[in-house]
Amino acid sequence: MKKEMKPLRMLFFTVMLALAASLSSCSVDVNSLGSGDVYGYWHLERVDSLQNGQQKDVSENRIFWMFEGKLLEMSDYDGGYNIYLLRFSHSGGMLEVSQPYMYDRESGEGDRKVTDPQELSHYGINALEERFEVEKLSDGKMILKNQLVKLYFTKF
């Protein structure tokens, strides 16, 4: 029985070593490309209006953007605001968000499609489809910018 275990251990060790080697050789420094990893929880800390120069510090609020798969969830854990779900795509230093729905699973009617972009303004979104330049996505910081706003986030 011991003789059978030794080849299995050797095979397991060889497979694990090959897997580790292949993963390390395929790494790309995405931060150097200006893309980075948007996935996870991001705390919205500041919203700058590029139209009038005003800065709004929201760092004391618990406003979060959460990215997973192709879904963005925007939530305010201080309450008083709806939760929104949007599709997103991130490539080439751009982040696009679209197809917003208000989260409403408790009513029995399901999530409601958003038709008024004003509903999303609390989260820094001003249109039903937005395209942001990703100015920074490294060191736990993300800065998104379009023609109307600049949004500052910290990874949580």
Side-chain angles (χ1 to χ4, degrees):
M1 183 160 189
K2 275 192 167 189
K3 287 184 179 182
E4 291 177 23
M5 291 298 285
K6 195 170 186 177
L8 286 176
R9 282 188 196 162
M10 185 60 110
L11 177 62
F12 176 76
F13 177 74
T14 305
V15 168
M16 295 308 289
L17 185 62
L19 180 63
S22 67
L23 289 176
S24 66
S25 68
C26 293
S27 68
V28 174
D29 184 8
V30 292
N31 290 331
S32 68
L33 301 174
S35 58
D37 187 8
V38 299
Y39 295 107
Y41 282 57
W42 292 90
H43 180 226
L44 180 61
E45 299 200 334
R46 193 171 94 202
V47 178
D48 292 355
S49 170
L50 300 180
Q51 293 180 318
N52 61 23
Q54 290 184 329
Q55 295 180 350
K56 184 176 181 184
D57 180 2
V58 293
S59 61
E60 297 298 317
N61 301 24
R62 295 183 304 158
I63 301 170
F64 286 90
W65 285 25
M66 292 147 298
F67 296 91
E68 185 174 341
K70 295 180 180 179
L71 188 66
L72 164 61
E73 178 183 310
M74 299 184 308
S75 300
D76 184 332
Y77 291 107
D78 292 322
Y81 292 92
N82 292 316
I83 297 170
Y84 293 94
L85 305 169
L86 298 91
R87 291 280 179 203
F88 83 91
S89 87
H90 174 236
S91 64
M94 300 301 290
L95 177 76
E96 296 182 36
V97 297
S98 62
Q99 302 175 21
Y101 282 81
M102 184 189 80
Y103 180 92
D104 188 13
R105 311 275 162 92
E106 288 78 27
S107 73
E109 295 180 27
D111 300 340
R112 179 185 54 80
K113 187 172 184 167
V114 175
T115 57
D116 181 5
Q118 184 60 35
E119 289 185 51
L120 308 170
S121 64
H122 177 69
Y123 297 100
I125 302 288
N126 296 296
L128 298 177
E129 293 185 11
E130 289 268 30
R131 184 174 167 97
F132 293 97
E133 175 187 349
V134 181
E135 282 196 348
K136 178 175 183 166
L137 186 52
S138 62
D139 302 322
K141 300 288 185 188
M142 177 169 65
I143 301 173
L144 303 177
K145 177 184 173 185
N146 66 13
Q147 61 275 22
L148 298 176
V149 294
K150 190 181 244 189
L151 307 174
Y152 296 81
F153 296 87
T154 299
K155 191 134 191 186
F156 192 75

